Amino acid sequence: MVSEDGSAVACIRVESERFFSKNSALPSYLHLLKGEERRKVAKEEVEFYQSTPKKESVILNEVYDAFLDCLDLDDDHYDHLTSSARQLNDNQIRLRRYCSFPEKPWEVAKMLEDILEIKDFTGIPGFYLKDNKYWTIAGTKGILIPFRNHYNEIVGFQYRIDNPSNVVEVMQNRPGLDARIKQHPNLVQITFDGEIILEQAIELKKEWTTIVHDGDVKGWVRVVKGNRYFWLSSANKPNGTGSGDPAPIHVSIPTSKLQHWQTGSLHKTKTAWLSEGGLKCDIASDCIEKMYDPEELEDIGTTLIALPGVGAWRLAMPVLKDMGVEQVNICFDADAVSNPQVKRHLMECAKELKKEGYRANLILWNCEDGKGIDDLMLNFSIPHIKKLF
C-alpha cells in the first residue's frame, strides 16, 4: 500500500525497523520515502479499484474446481513437473490437479458462466470484469498450483511463471545507491542520489559487483532472476479480488491419501510439518511417505502445511488446532539459521508453539544437499530432526 501523498509504503516482503501492522497474521512494515524514491511513486499513473472481500471457502472451491476442469497441462509444463528437478509421475500430476494458465482466460470465464450458471464472479480471486463487459481471469503463462485448506477445499492458487524477468539487488555502503534494469536482460543503470553514475551489462550470478564512484565504494549490486511464484489475484482490477485477507495456506498430504480425501472432510493428524511453497510441500509429502517406514511415519507424520511465506506462520495456528496437531516439525529452507530475517521468524514461531503447548522439532540439513526439503529428499537424503521442546 502507498500513502496518498506518496511519502510512505507498507510492504509485507521488505522489512524495516517500523511495523505498519504488527498484530495481524501477516505483518507489514512501514517505509518512509524520500527524494527520488518518492518521485518514482508519484509518477505512477495507476487507476486503483477497491478490492472486494473473498467469498467463503465452499464457494471458492466450487468455482476453482470447475475452473480446473476447463484447463489442460501444456507439454512444457508437463516436462518440467516430470523432470529430474521435480520427479512427479502422471498419477501425482493428475491427483494434485496441476494445470497451465489458459491462453484465452476470457473464454474459460465464459465456459464457467455456462457450467456454473452464474454471471458474477465478484469475490473470486483472479476474476475481474473487463471493460465492464465480460469476465476474465488475471494471470500469465505458467503452472497453476492449487492450494487446499484442511477440508480439501481449493481456496487459492500460486502459479509458477515461465519467464521471470531479471531484477537488480542493491546492498548499500552509502545511502543513495540505487539500480534498475534499463534494458533486458542485464543492462543495469546505477544511480547515486538520483545521478546516473554507471551503465553496464552485469552477468546473472550470485556474486556481488562492487560499485565505486569518485574513489569511494558506494555499495554492491547483482542481477538475479525475479520472483517466479505469484498468487492468482485480481486485486486492483474492476470487481477484482485479492488473494489475501487472509492469504491461503496449503495442506498437503501424500497422493495415496489425497485420492481418498473427501472434500469437506476435516483432515486430522497428530504431527504436521510447517514449511512454505505449495509445489515443494506436495513433492515432500510423497517423498516422506516413501523414505520412512510405517512406524517412523506414525511419529513424524506426512502432513505438510505450506505457508505464503515464513513471516506468515501465524496463519497456521488455527489450522493446527482444528486438525488436532500435537507436534510440529518446523521445516523452513536450509538457510533458516544463517538468514537473520528467516531465523527471527523461526524463533517467533517456536516461541508461540511452546506457549500454546505444542511439542516441536527443528528440521535441519546442509545447504549443499538442497535448498528446500523437496530438493533434499529428491536427492535421497534424510534431514536431522532436532527436538526443541
Side-chain angles (χ1 to χ4, degrees):
M1 294 187 292
V2 182
S3 63
E4 287 187 13
D5 63 358
S7 65
V9 171
C11 181
I12 63 171
R13 177 176 294 274
V14 181
E15 298 186 4
S16 73
E17 296 179 354
R18 303 173 68 176
F19 280 96
F20 176 78
S21 175
K22 187 174 182 180
N23 298 320
S24 65
L26 192 58
S28 58
Y29 302 89
L30 183 65
H31 300 264
L32 302 178
L33 304 184
K34 301 177 183 178
E36 186 64 25
E37 287 182 330
R38 181 169 176 172
R39 286 194 291 273
K40 285 178 183 177
V41 173
K43 289 177 184 176
E44 292 291 335
E45 295 180 359
V46 180
E47 186 174 5
F48 286 93
Y49 296 90
Q50 183 67 40
S51 185
T52 57
K54 284 196 295 188
K55 295 289 187 182
E56 53 266 33
S57 298
V58 64
I59 295 178
L60 295 178
N61 180 73
E62 180 184 9
V63 174
Y64 287 150
D65 180 65
F67 174 49
L68 288 172
D69 284 341
C70 297
L71 303 181
D72 296 312
L73 184 66
D74 296 347
D75 289 344
D76 289 348
H77 295 157
Y78 173 81
D79 290 342
H80 173 77
L81 293 173
T82 56
S83 69
S84 59
R86 302 298 186 184
Q87 300 182 32
L88 293 166
N89 59 42
D90 290 355
N91 189 51
Q92 289 171 303
I93 292 171
R94 178 180 61 84
L95 288 171
R96 302 286 186 192
R97 302 188 72 183
Y98 304 126
C99 291
S100 301
F101 189 84
E103 289 188 11
K104 298 179 179 179
W106 56 91
E107 292 185 354
V108 174
K110 183 65 174 81
M111 290 171 61
L112 290 173
E113 288 185 28
D114 298 335
I115 293 170
L116 299 172
E117 297 183 346
I118 59 175
K119 300 297 182 182
D120 188 354
F121 291 96
T122 302
I124 309 296
F127 289 75
Y128 70 99
L129 195 59
K130 179 72 171 177
D131 298 328
N132 204 32
K133 295 178 180 178
Y134 59 92
W135 287 93
T136 186
I137 307 161
T140 187
K141 186 173 175 60
I143 303 173
L144 283 165
I145 303 159
F147 266 50
R148 295 176 168 86
N149 65 11
H150 47 313
Y151 289 91
N152 195 20
E153 296 168 325
I154 299 174
V155 293
F157 293 89
Q158 273 187 336
Y159 63 96
R160 181 185 186 277
I161 66 172
D162 291 350
N163 298 302
S165 300
N166 293 341
V167 296
V168 185
E169 292 183 346
V170 178
M171 184 164 55
Q172 294 183 342
N173 189 44
R174 296 283 186 269
L177 182 69
D178 198 7
R180 68 181 183 93
I181 298 288
K182 181 180 180 180
Q183 182 177 332
H184 289 285
N186 64 341
L187 180 60
V188 178
Q189 182 184 85
I190 300 167
T191 61
F192 185 75
D193 286 341
E195 177 189 351
I196 299 173
I197 61 173
L198 183 65
E199 287 186 0
Q200 72 174 57
I202 297 179
E203 185 181 348
L204 183 75
K205 57 184 179 180
K206 292 183 178 180
E207 291 74 23
W208 294 89
T209 297
T210 303
I211 304 302
V212 179
H213 182 63
D214 290 339
D216 185 29
V217 176
K218 303 299 185 184
W220 302 264
V221 301
R222 65 181 177 185
V223 176
V224 298
K225 279 291 184 185
N227 191 21
R228 188 180 283 275
Y229 288 89
F230 293 87
W231 293 106
L232 184 68
S233 169
S234 48
N236 196 35
K237 293 183 180 295
N239 288 67
T241 305
S243 61
D245 198 25
I249 66 172
H250 175 52
V251 176
S252 181
I253 62 176
T255 49
S256 62
K257 297 179 180 179
L258 178 60
Q259 63 183 332
H260 302 297
W261 188 9
Q262 295 296 316
T263 301
S265 176
L266 174 64
H267 175 66
K268 303 286 283 188
T269 182
K270 290 183 178 180
T271 302
W273 297 58
L274 201 58
S275 188
E276 58 176 328
L279 180 58
K280 176 192 302 184
C281 287
D282 284 348
I283 293 171
S285 64
D286 278 327
C287 288
I288 289 170
E289 187 182 54
K290 296 175 183 176
M291 296 181 69
Y292 293 90
D293 62 42
E295 188 173 323
E296 290 174 312
L297 292 175
E298 190 69 26
D299 177 51
I300 67 171
T302 59
T303 299
L304 279 86
I305 297 178
L307 300 170
V310 293
W313 57 265
R314 295 169 184 83
L315 292 174
M317 300 307 289
V319 176
L320 295 173
K321 183 177 180 180
D322 289 348
M323 294 195 304
V325 171
E326 299 172 3
Q327 177 177 252
V328 178
N329 295 329
I330 304 174
C331 184
F332 297 160
D333 282 354
D335 65 353
V337 177
S338 59
N339 186 315
Q341 293 184 4
V342 177
K343 184 178 180 180
R344 180 170 61 80
H345 290 308
L346 188 156
M347 298 305 293
E348 290 175 351
C349 176
K351 183 179 178 180
E352 185 66 18
L353 289 171
K354 186 174 183 179
K355 176 183 173 183
E356 293 297 322
Y358 292 98
R359 290 180 286 115
N361 301 309
L362 183 60
I363 309 300
L364 300 168
W365 66 93
N366 293 323
C367 292
E368 294 77 15
D369 295 327
K371 181 178 184 293
I373 187 65
D374 58 328
D375 302 319
L376 177 78
M377 292 188 168
L378 288 175
N379 289 330
F380 303 102
S381 298
I382 293 178
H384 174 63
I385 301 177
K386 180 181 179 181
K387 183 176 181 180
L388 294 178
F389 45 83

